[in-house]
Amino acid sequence: MSGNSYYNENSRERLNSISRLLLLISIGFFIAASLINTIYTLTAHYSGLFKAGDIIVIIFDIFYAAIILSIYSSGKFDITDRFIFMSLILFSLIFISELLLSISTGSTIIPAILGFVSLAFGYLYYFFKDDELISRIMIIIAAMLAYIGLIGYPLAPYIFVFGTSYLNSALWAQAFIVMEILLILGFIFKPSAMISDFLTSSAKPLAIFIFGIGLIITGASMVSYDVVALPAALGDSISGVLIIAGILALITGILFVIQSIMKFYDSVIKPRIHFMR
């Protein structure tokens, strides 16, 4: 163990690898449960418009799985421009399905419209990519409106009771927005190097912490979710898959919280301890 750290320098990397793998497996089980449920609804007596929304949900699940495989093959889990672009495509699919399902069930289409507005801001992010301040504001608005849009997703008979969760975290948007706000403040306070450095170095650890808490919330919801609107055998199958996804999300959430504390120590506390010495 290094004399400059309370833990082995490789511990966080190992923890990061384990938690990333568990998260991707958890999401995989959630996608499996969603696919089983959605394919079943195609055989039920619903309108053509409803089934069209159903088919788009299946495409969403397949594309979601492709993103997860892409993250796994890349060997890292970072919010890059490529990841944001793939997420925008994913959200495009879910908001199209939300619009179709809302119309077919007589629900309000306002959440879906907010979702499309969020996509517009998300794509504007790329037009202002060279402007650090404006681009971050655009992506913050996109994340906020996307989260609000997902709240209104027609639930029955879907398991999208977890619809506000992305990457199996109920607080994905909050984590992302807090991180971006801190980075914006770091940019604004750039003339004061000490304040700017503190804000920017605190951004990612705090975001990881919030995201981890969101994983715990979603994991607990999945473990306790009761599929009552489906045939017993199908409901039991989906519940079993969701329980596995939920347990893995709970474990991953705890690991993310631990990682956030380790990262905060490494990037915020330790440099300042050395500075004061």
Side-chain angles (χ1 to χ4, degrees), residues 44-56:
H45 300 292
Y46 294 106
S47 67
L49 194 61
F50 189 97
K51 290 187 176 183
D54 232 8
I55 292 170
I56 293 175

Side-chain angles (χ1 to χ4, degrees), residues 163-192:
T164 54
S165 297
Y166 182 44
L167 301 173
N168 280 5
S169 176
L171 301 177
W172 65 271
Q174 291 87 336
F176 182 72
I177 290 169
V178 166
M179 181 180 73
E180 291 296 322
I181 288 174
L182 287 176
L183 291 174
I184 286 174
L185 290 174
F187 177 79
I188 293 172
F189 285 99
K190 222 169 197 177
S192 176

Side-chain angles (χ1 to χ4, degrees), residues 38 41-42 49-59 101 158:
T38 309
T41 58
L42 279 175
L49 194 61
F50 189 97
K51 290 187 176 183
D54 232 8
I55 292 170
I56 293 175
V57 172
I58 293 173
I59 297 172
L101 294 171
Y158 289 92

Side-chain angles (χ1 to χ4, degrees), residues 102-167:
S102 296
I103 293 172
S104 67
T105 58
S107 305
T108 177
I109 62 170
I110 292 176
I113 292 173
L114 287 175
F116 287 118
V117 174
S118 78
L119 293 173
F121 278 100
Y123 287 114
L124 280 173
Y125 160 79
Y126 290 97
F127 285 97
F128 294 95
K129 192 67 184 68
D130 294 333
D131 190 313
E132 186 175 351
L133 184 61
I134 299 299
S135 64
R136 293 193 185 282
I137 291 173
M138 290 293 177
I139 206 66
I140 286 172
I141 295 172
M144 180 176 64
L145 290 178
Y147 187 85
I148 295 171
L150 288 173
I151 292 174
Y153 196 92
L155 302 182
Y158 289 92
I159 56 170
F160 270 99
V161 67
F162 314 110
T164 54
S165 297
Y166 182 44
L167 301 173

